[in-house]
């Protein structure tokens, strides 16, 4: 009996696995050339300074409008792009488009003069080693001043290969580009890595921010991250601010910048221009 059940169980799992693999392969095929077909686009989420409420920057976030399946979440397709290596083609296209948009804001609006654009870079893009050259070439071609480009990396991109990663980050920063550590605090080891990995800022993960009003531990951790970062001369941004109370307490604790649905949802480049006009 058990043997039979086990067997059918195995068959069930292997079918489910086959389907999952098939879906991934399909998605990978569909993702190939998606940029050229105009299915991929960027939206921008505003970033504000907590001290005076000024709009200071925008995070570029990739969107995929699949012709049959509609919009697919980046958490799904970025992973496929990363695993398949497609990210090494898509990543530079994202970088170029974000710098183009930021340069347009820079030239067209007084309020866009010093606005930074923050671009997410995946572990594989960093590991390939070509990032510093890509960044330099993109800044040269678009004319965007280097300090107005921020590169966001997750802890996982950096951890495990600190020597190589640190050298690449140092090269980026020597060109004037700012480097941020994204989703900070999710691996608590991050705190000690800050000593060895040169970054300009950390983005406190949404999971901490969402609980700062309810959970004293999350508030304590957030406050500690802010204090520690500041003592190292590192800027702090909070992501996922969904409530006024969260904004208020982060501001009171000295957090530098913030983004989140309460402040503004990600919007297309055109609509973002409206915030600057
Ligand atoms: P991330 O870099 O941590 O981006 C922040 C995510 O939080 C975004 O999700 C954003 O839409 C969402 N968000 C912003 N404010 C709030 C809020 O108040 N509440 C909640 N619940 N969520 C909020 P999104 O756009 O789905 O992106 C997910 C992840 O996909 C990003 O996380 C990033 O890791 C990755 N990603 C997005 N675009 C790119 C890209 O161009 N390149 C790479 N390599 N990764 C990207
Ligand atoms: Mg990010
Ligand atoms: Mg994040
Ligand atoms: Mg909690």
């Amino acid at each position: 009996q058990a043997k039979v059940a086990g067997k059918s169980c195995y068959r069930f799992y292997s079918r489910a696995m086959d389907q999952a693999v098939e879906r991934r392969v399909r998605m990978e095929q569909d993702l190939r050339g998606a940029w050229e077909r105009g299915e991929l686009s960027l939206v921008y989420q505003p970033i504000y300074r907590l001290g005076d409420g000024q709009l200071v920057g925008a995070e570029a976030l990739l969107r995929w409008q699949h012709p049959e399946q509609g919009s697919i979440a980046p958490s799904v397709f970025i992973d496929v792009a990363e695993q398949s290596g497609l990210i090494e083609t898509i990543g530079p296209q994202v970088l170029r488009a974000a710098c183009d948009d930021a340069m347009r804001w820079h030239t067209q609006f007084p309020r866009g003069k010093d606005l930074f654009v923050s671009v997410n870079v995946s572990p594989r893009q960093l590991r390939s080693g070509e990032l510093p050259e890509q960044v330099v070439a993109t800044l040269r071609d678009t004319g965007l001043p280097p300090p107005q480009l921020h590169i966001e990396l997750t802890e996982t991109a950096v951890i495990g290969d600190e020597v190589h990663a640190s050298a690449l980050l140092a090269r980026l920063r020597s060109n004037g580009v700012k480097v941020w550590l994204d989703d900070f605090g999710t691996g608590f080891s991050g705190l000690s890595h800050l000593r060895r990995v040169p970054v300009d800022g950390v983005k406190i993960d949404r999971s901490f921010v969402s609980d700062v009003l309810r959970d004293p531990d999350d508030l304590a951790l957030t406050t500690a991250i802010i204090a520690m970062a500041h003592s190292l001369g590192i800027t702090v941004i909070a992501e996922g601010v969904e409530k006024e109370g969260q904004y208020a307490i982060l501001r009171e604790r000295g957090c530098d910048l913030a983004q989140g649905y309460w402040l503004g949802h990600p919007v297309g480049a055109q609509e973002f221009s409206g915030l600057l006009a």
Side-chain angles (χ1 to χ4, degrees):
Q1 262 268 271
K3 217 171 179 177
V4 174
K7 219 170 174 181
S8 69
C9 230
Y10 169 75
R11 220 169 354 214
F12 171 76
Y13 282 126
S14 89
R15 258 235 330 265
M17 257 162 68
D18 284 349
Q19 283 171 353
V21 169
E22 211 171 283
R23 263 204 307 276
R24 276 185 91 87
V25 171
R26 273 263 325 229
M27 187 173 286
E28 186 188 323
Q29 283 166 354
D30 290 352
L31 199 50
R32 215 172 282 277
W35 184 276
E36 288 75 10
R37 292 191 300 273
E39 295 166 17
L40 291 169
S41 63
L42 289 175
V43 289
Y44 294 93
Q45 184 171 39
I47 297 174
Y48 293 89
R49 191 158 53 211
L50 287 168
D52 58 5
Q54 279 289 319
L55 175 65
V56 291
E59 178 174 10
L61 295 161
L62 195 55
R63 293 291 176 263
W64 184 15
Q65 191 66 32
H66 190 283
E68 287 129 36
Q69 294 163 45
S71 122
I72 298 178
S75 54
V76 175
F77 73 81
I78 292 287
D79 192 48
V80 171
E82 174 82 4
Q83 301 293 329
S84 63
L86 276 172
I87 196 72
E88 289 181 45
T89 312
I90 296 169
Q93 290 166 325
V94 165
L95 181 66
R96 175 67 51 119
C99 289
D100 269 338
D101 285 332
M103 189 57 191
R104 214 165 295 126
W105 298 324
H106 173 89
T107 47
Q108 286 179 359
F109 305 98
R111 290 180 67 196
K113 191 102 192 63
D114 299 315
L115 200 86
F116 67 80
V117 72
S118 204
V119 176
N120 293 285
V121 165
S122 78
R124 187 159 179 158
Q125 280 177 275
L126 184 68
R127 251 180 277 119
S128 84
E130 288 163 25
L131 190 66
E133 280 71 33
Q134 275 167 14
V135 163
V136 167
T138 306
L139 291 171
R140 190 191 53 224
D141 296 349
T142 59
L144 187 70
Q148 286 177 247
L149 175 62
H150 294 192
I151 297 292
E152 295 191 11
L153 294 155
T154 54
E155 290 177 83
T156 46
V158 172
I159 289 164
D161 194 9
E162 278 110 338
V163 177
H164 182 58
S166 298
L168 289 168
L169 298 193
R171 262 164 71 203
L172 281 172
R173 294 177 78 222
S174 72
N175 291 310
V177 171
K178 305 246 187 274
V179 174
W180 290 78
L181 223 44
D182 204 353
D183 304 339
F184 188 76
T186 44
F188 196 69
S189 55
L191 292 175
S192 61
H193 284 95
L194 278 188
R195 283 188 297 127
R196 273 168 287 151
V197 180
V199 296
D200 298 280
V202 293
K203 296 189 84 165
I204 301 180
D205 190 65
R206 192 164 71 223
S207 58
F208 294 100
V209 174
S210 71
D211 269 358
V212 285
L213 295 174
R214 276 194 309 238
D215 187 339
D217 291 344
D218 284 333
L219 180 59
L221 260 167
T222 300
T223 307
I225 290 172
I226 295 168
M228 181 220 48
H230 284 172
S231 73
L232 294 170
I234 293 170
T235 305
V236 184
I237 171 164
E239 62 180 12
V241 176
E242 294 180 350
K243 298 188 180 104
E244 185 170 13
Q246 294 165 343
Y247 181 89
I249 205 157
L250 287 163
R251 182 180 166 158
E252 177 210 295
R253 299 296 159 117
C255 185
D256 303 290
L257 311 176
Q259 69 188 94
Y261 295 160
W262 185 71
L263 293 156
H265 283 260
V267 293
Q270 195 68 34
E271 193 174 339
F272 190 85
S273 300
L275 295 175
L276 300 171

